[in-house]
């Protein structure tokens, strides 16, 4: 297992990484992974390290500060591993991501998902091999992301995500699968990952 503990971010656990590792291996040569919600880059690093060297990762995140008062920060994961003082972390999220993820295989998009059609065409994101959703965790946000990105999958593409234990994620994931006659694979008591089986 290739769990990455040197990048801050408590959300992705070692058990989640077992799922990331296996899913990344399924992406074919010259394939594309789209990650919605990259934060400091822990999951991004997982996709990169476990997929083929020809696979590109499109990391989409607004990277805006999510704490208005840095003195009220309580925990952001492995805060002792940050390359800068913790009080600067949320203000400099994009800088931290760039520090840990300098790879040429990553296309960094500082936007909110879903992307506008012009950017989709420019990046050739109409036949994606794997989409990982870990962005807006509201029911409406998850619904929007799943419905949008599912249409961009290749015929054998995989759509998956994180925080399946959260009601705002669990309900729309299961509703989408049910409405489209698909199957959700969850990992209760083991991981917060979810996977919807491919179109075929």
């Amino acid at each position: 297992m290739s769990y990455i503990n040197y990048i801050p971010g408590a959300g992705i656990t070692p058990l989640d990484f077992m799922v990331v590792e296996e899913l990344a291996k399924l992406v074919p040569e010259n394939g594309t992974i789209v990650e919605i919600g990259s934060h400091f880059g822990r999951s991004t690093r997982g996709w990169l390290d476990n997929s083929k060297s020809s696979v590109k990762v499109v990391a989409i995140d607004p990277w805006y500060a999510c704490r208005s008062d840095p003195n009220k920060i309580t925990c952001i994961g492995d805060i002792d591993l940050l390359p800068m003082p913790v009080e600067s972390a949320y203000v400099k999220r994009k800088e931290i991501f760039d520090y840990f993820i300098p790879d040429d295989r990553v296309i960094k998009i500082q936007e909110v998902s879903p992307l506008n059609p012009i950017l989709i065409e420019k990046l050739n994101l109409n036949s994606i091999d794997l989409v990982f959703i870990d962005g807006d965790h509201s029911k409406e946000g998850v619904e929007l992301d799943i419905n949008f990105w599912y249409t961009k999958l290749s015929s054998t593409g995989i759509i998956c995500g994180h925080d399946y234990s959260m009601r705002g994620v669990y309900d729309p994931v299961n509703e989408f699968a049910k409405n489209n006659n698909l199957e959700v694979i969850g990992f209760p008591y083991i991981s917060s990952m979810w996977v919807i089986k491919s179109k075929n």
Side-chain angles (χ1 to χ4, degrees):
M1 185 176 64
S2 57
Y3 183 60
I4 297 160
N5 65 0
Y6 62 87
I7 298 178
I12 301 291
T13 68
L15 293 170
D16 296 333
F17 252 88
M18 293 174 66
V19 180
V20 168
E21 184 174 10
E22 293 307 311
L23 290 174
K25 292 174 183 176
L26 298 176
V27 178
E29 291 283 355
N30 301 304
T32 301
I33 295 171
V34 171
E35 177 182 66
I36 311 302
S38 301
H39 198 49
F40 294 127
R42 184 177 282 190
S43 56
T44 318
R45 186 79 266 157
W47 298 119
L48 289 167
D49 291 351
N50 293 289
S51 60
K52 299 171 179 65
S53 60
S54 61
V55 171
K56 70 177 177 182
V57 176
V58 179
I60 302 169
D61 196 300
W63 283 295
Y64 53 70
C66 50
R67 291 284 193 280
S68 58
D69 184 350
N71 296 316
K72 292 183 179 178
I73 291 176
T74 55
C75 178
I76 56 170
D78 303 318
I79 56 176
D80 56 318
L81 302 175
L82 285 169
M84 60 182 66
V86 67
E87 59 270 13
S88 304
Y90 276 104
V91 177
K92 299 183 177 181
R93 286 178 63 185
K94 180 65 164 55
E95 288 181 34
I96 296 172
F97 182 86
D98 290 341
Y99 176 89
F100 286 116
I101 313 291
D103 309 63
D104 293 339
R105 291 169 54 201
V106 178
I107 299 170
K108 303 168 186 178
I109 308 295
Q110 192 163 4
E111 298 280 349
V112 174
S113 173
L115 300 180
N116 68 63
I118 295 173
L119 198 50
I120 291 289
E121 291 298 325
K122 181 180 178 181
L123 297 172
N124 192 26
L125 298 180
N126 286 304
S127 186
I128 300 165
D129 299 287
L130 187 145
V131 174
F132 175 67
I133 298 174
D134 193 17
D136 182 344
H137 286 51
S138 69
K139 185 177 189 293
E140 296 75 18
V142 175
E143 284 176 346
L144 186 63
D145 277 336
I146 292 178
N147 282 288
F148 179 84
W149 290 105
Y150 185 75
T151 66
K152 307 301 178 188
L153 286 180
S154 68
S155 61
T156 57
I158 298 167
I159 191 162
C160 61
H162 193 238
D163 294 310
Y164 190 55
S165 58
M166 294 177 64
R167 190 51 113 192
V169 176
Y170 182 89
D171 286 344
V173 167
N174 284 284
E175 287 170 14
F176 178 86
K178 181 180 179 181
N179 293 339
N180 291 278
N181 199 28
L182 298 167
E183 181 184 349
V184 179
I185 302 171
F187 305 86
Y189 313 113
I190 296 175
S191 166
S192 290
M193 297 286 285
W194 57 267
V195 180
I196 293 179
K197 295 180 72 172
S198 69
K199 296 178 181 179
N200 294 329

